[in-house]
Amino acid sequence: MAELIYHGSNQKVENPKILIQGFYKDFGYGFYCTKLEKQAIRWASIKRNPHIVNIYEYEQNSDLNTKIFPEMTEEWLDFIADCRTGKEHNFDIVEGPMADDTIWDYVEDFLANRISRAAFWELAKFKHPTHQILFCTEKSLQTITFLRSYEV
């Protein structure tokens, strides 16, 4: 069953590409989208003008190597810590909650032993729901179809 996903940008992205640049991100390098239109609007609004939300249809493919984190868990925390410090993985698609700037501050504190794992979870549980889906390989990009975009 196909579902809508969104990508916030400063341009119309009809043909997404796997980008390997900049700082390490939650799930590694690739093309990030979300199921939450409001979140894509936030992503677009922090880019330079214009602020564009791209809409895609996503059709899951069980042949791809996919990792899904339904919620923030110990495994999710360890995975993000690894990715944010440059460790690579072999998934085609990774999906789950975001470690936004505030959560990432908590992750850094945890990695530096400034807070305990238990303290991390106490702080993290008060954050609003987030979602991201990362397309990590060219093969994974074949699961999405550009529908339209709009400026915010």
Side-chain angles (χ1 to χ4, degrees):
M1 181 174 154
E3 60 185 307
L4 294 182
I5 58 172
Y6 307 88
H7 173 78
S9 182
N10 62 350
Q11 59 189 326
K12 185 178 192 177
V13 183
E14 293 182 64
N15 300 299
K17 293 179 178 35
I18 303 301
L19 298 180
I20 301 175
Q21 65 185 31
F23 61 92
Y24 296 114
K25 300 185 187 231
D26 287 358
F27 296 154
Y29 293 119
F31 184 70
Y32 279 86
C33 292
T34 179
K35 292 178 183 178
L36 306 173
E37 186 173 13
K38 185 175 176 183
Q39 185 174 298
I41 292 169
R42 279 195 305 269
W43 287 347
S45 69
I46 62 170
K47 307 285 186 189
R48 62 181 166 77
N49 283 333
H51 308 296
I52 307 290
V53 173
N54 296 279
I55 305 169
Y56 305 88
E57 187 174 74
Y58 168 52
E59 187 74 48
Q60 292 184 14
N61 179 340
S62 60
D63 293 335
L64 296 178
N65 187 13
T66 302
K67 178 68 178 171
I68 298 175
F69 296 100
E71 59 189 16
M72 288 189 274
T73 62
E74 296 288 335
E75 182 186 12
W76 170 88
L77 174 58
D78 292 338
F79 190 87
I80 285 187
D82 285 347
C83 290
R84 285 275 185 136
T85 56
K87 186 175 178 184
E88 294 185 14
H89 59 77
N90 64 349
F91 295 105
D92 294 304
I93 295 174
V94 182
E95 180 176 359
M98 281 176 44
D100 62 13
D101 291 341
T102 303
I103 295 291
W104 178 241
D105 289 343
Y106 303 152
V107 171
E108 283 186 322
D109 287 343
F110 167 70
L111 292 173
N113 293 316
R114 289 189 290 267
I115 63 172
S116 67
R117 201 174 270 268
F120 169 84
W121 290 113
E122 261 319 293
L123 293 165
K125 75 180 182 181
F126 295 107
K127 293 301 293 173
H128 56 84
T130 59
H131 174 268
Q132 60 190 343
I133 182 167
L134 173 65
F135 299 88
C136 311
T137 62
E138 292 299 324
K139 191 167 49 171
S140 70
L141 289 177
Q142 295 172 14
T143 65
I144 63 176
T145 304
F146 177 81
L147 298 177
R148 64 189 175 281
S149 65
Y150 65 89
E151 192 168 340
V152 291

